[in-house]
Amino acid sequence: EVQLVESGGGLIQPGGSLRLSCAASGFTVSSNYMSWVRQAPGKGLEWVSVIYSGGSTYYADSVKGRFTISRDNSKNTLYLQMNSLRAEDTAVYYCARASPWGLPQDYWGQGTLVTVSS
Amino acid sequence: QSVLTQPPSASGTPGQRVTISCSGSSSNIGSNYVYWYQQLPGTAPKLLIYRNNQRPSGVPDRFSGSKSGTSASLAISGLRSEDEADYYCAAWDDSLRGVFGGGTKLTVL
């Protein structure tokens, strides 16, 4: 059975750092395209980042230079390193398997909440 | 302000057909595939339509997608109470990023 389980969310002060994890089972992360999408409280979905199987990465302008998407093939896990966090980064972060066109598709995690506040 | 434009709300009665529009530009919808997602309250989004008009297995054929130029539409026929949810369109943009619509809240009256 395919499953994606996010972890690492929590309360963090502005300017701080956090690393989100997305542990996959039932398929191989490194052989697939993987993405992060976020949703601020009461707001719509926002595309954050994608990593292709070949290693290419792309980011939303709002997080470029602050967030880094990566994966650990030995752990079959996707990561999102978030630095210089701002209040506007407060959201539920979802990982999802992505299509070759960089968009999330069939498998999604349950989401992990990141709250940036002093 | 979302890159793709959707109406904030839509509604219909059971059995009715409703459509949700999604407007973009030549750099996203005009040159790339459109995806649609359904999000029920308190749950993760679910893929509804991919590559403009393709349905994943398990998605009822009551849901259909179409694209013309820089706009796309999601149609739901035979509306049911369980279709009440938020719907989002998305596309890849040629500036090398994904873009979403602001979402449409569908109410089944």
Side-chain angles (χ1 to χ4, degrees):
Chain A
E1 182 194 3
V2 171
Q3 199 171 13
L4 292 169
V5 178
E6 298 106 335
S7 60
L11 176 63
I12 186 76
Q13 291 190 337
S17 297
L18 211 56
R19 188 179 78 161
L20 305 183
S21 300
C22 172
S25 56
F27 72 98
T28 303
V29 165
S30 61
S31 301
N32 284 269
Y33 309 118
M34 298 295 297
S35 62
W36 288 96
V37 171
R38 68 183 181 182
Q39 185 170 35
K43 303 296 184 182
L45 301 176
E46 180 185 12
W47 182 88
V48 174
S49 181
V50 66
I51 183 168
Y52 287 162
S53 53
S56 298
T57 59
Y58 300 95
Y59 299 91
D61 289 346
S62 58
V63 307
K64 199 174 296 183
R66 300 187 300 123
F67 290 13
T68 302
I69 189 172
S70 64
R71 64 192 180 210
D72 185 328
N73 298 346
S74 65
K75 296 182 179 179
N76 207 30
T77 298
L78 176 74
Y79 299 102
L80 186 67
Q81 177 67 43
M82 305 185 296
N83 299 330
S84 303
L85 282 162
R86 308 166 179 167
E88 54 264 37
D89 295 319
T90 294
V92 173
Y93 285 74
Y94 297 100
C95 66
R97 190 168 77 158
S99 72
W101 295 274
L103 299 174
Q105 52 174 17
D106 44 6
Y107 303 124
W108 292 67
Q110 83 286 355
T112 185
L113 176 63
V114 173
T115 303
V116 184
S117 175
S118 54
Chain B
Q1 188 88 358
S2 301
V3 174
L4 305 182
T5 301
Q6 297 180 236
S9 63
S11 63
T13 56
Q16 202 172 25
R17 182 177 187 270
V18 297
T19 61
I20 297 172
S21 62
C22 176
S23 177
S25 68
S26 58
S27 66
N28 39 66
I29 293 179
S31 54
N32 295 288
Y33 290 121
V34 177
Y35 284 58
W36 288 91
Y37 306 88
Q38 177 193 59
Q39 187 176 33
L40 299 171
T43 68
K46 168 190 169 184
L47 179 67
L48 212 54
I49 297 289
Y50 65 101
R51 284 200 270 175
N52 300 335
N53 54 19
Q54 302 299 302
R55 278 188 312 277
S57 60
V59 173
D61 59 7
R62 302 186 297 106
F63 294 90
S64 62
S66 63
K67 184 182 111 169
S68 178
T70 59
S71 293
S73 291
L74 173 70
I76 309 171
S77 60
L79 197 61
R80 304 174 69 162
S81 58
E82 56 261 41
D83 298 334
E84 190 160 286
D86 294 326
Y87 293 85
Y88 296 90
C89 61
W92 187 251
D93 192 278
D94 290 344
S95 60
L96 303 181
R97 58 180 176 140
V99 290
F100 274 95
T104 298
K105 184 177 183 61
L106 175 64
T107 301
V108 181
L109 302 170

